[in-house]
Structure formats: structure tokens, C-alpha cells
Amino acid sequence: MPSEFVPVGVFSGKHVLAELEDIEPQLLDDETFLRSTLANTLTDAGATVCEVIAHRFEPQGVTVLAMLAESHASVHTYPEIGAVFVDVFTCGERADPERAVTLLADALGTGSVSMSTFHRGRQPAEAGT
């Protein structure tokens, strides 16, 4: 009988790194908006958000970190140039980090997305091999 659970000891995940540009500077300096938007996009992409913290820099910029049951996500903003770095790493198959970045890009209204995906760890062996 197939199980919905991944066996203990499986060590794999997807790590997405992205750069988003052409974003309204006011959005990138709004800590409250960024915290809720990151949490919502991660949840919509299937991740389990455990905690979100943020730090606002002077005179501008915000870093937001989300601890996930599946691993982590972060954004680091540069309002002065309308850009943000995004990092989303998830283990397992439940959450989709690429979808999280796409949803975040949509929420920020970006005109430019550069995204790279890295497969990390070891994929589980196929049944019967």
C-alpha cells in the first residue's frame, strides 16, 4: 500500500534564488506588507510557515526571514533601485518554491524576474530498485 509519507532519511530539496526588479520602491520599504505578503505566498505555494521575522534598515530597506517546516525563505530589499533578492529552500515535495517566487513576484508587480533552481541532497530511490 503506498504511503503519503516520505521515508525517514530522505535528504533532498529545491533551492530557488531569484532577483526581482522594477518594483515600486514604497512596497520594498513596507515591513508590514512584506511580512504578510511573504507568509501568504509561501502558504499558497504549499509551505508551512512557522515564524516570520523582519528588520527594517535606515534609511531604507527591509530583510524578512520566514522559518518553514520545510526549511526557510528570505527577501532582502533595495527600495532605492526597486529590486529584491529572494531565497526559498524547501525540503520534500509538498511545497513548491518556484511557485512561491512567482506568487511573490506577482504580488510585488515586478517587471523583471531572474530565477534559478538548484536540486539539493539525494533523491529517494525508486521502489523496487
Side-chain angles (χ1 to χ4, degrees):
M1 167 190 283
S3 172
E4 65 183 86
F5 299 103
V6 176
V8 174
V10 172
F11 179 66
S12 67
K14 281 204 276 189
H15 201 158
V16 177
L17 303 176
E19 299 171 18
L20 313 179
E21 298 182 82
D22 302 326
I23 302 167
E24 288 296 321
Q26 298 86 343
L27 291 179
L28 298 179
D29 211 30
D30 185 337
E31 178 183 336
T32 302
F33 169 79
L34 292 167
R35 286 173 67 111
S36 65
T37 300
L38 181 60
N40 291 337
T41 58
L42 290 164
T43 299
D44 291 348
T48 305
V49 178
C50 300
E51 186 174 355
V52 178
I53 62 170
H55 178 79
R56 188 172 186 295
F57 295 92
E58 291 299 331
Q60 60 198 2
V62 179
T63 294
V64 182
L65 302 172
M67 181 173 54
L68 308 175
E70 298 80 9
S71 194
H72 71 274
S74 67
V75 297
H76 187 77
T77 73
Y78 294 84
E80 66 275 20
I81 59 171
V84 61
F85 287 122
V86 181
D87 171 1
V88 183
F89 178 50
T90 61
C91 297
E93 300 297 320
R94 184 172 178 269
D96 183 346
E98 292 163 329
R99 179 163 166 70
V101 171
T102 300
L103 292 169
L104 182 62
D106 290 347
L108 292 172
T110 182
S112 173
V113 178
S114 174
M115 179 170 36
S116 298
T117 301
F118 302 90
H119 295 274
R120 299 180 64 189
R122 296 183 297 274
Q123 298 300 315
E126 295 296 320
T129 59

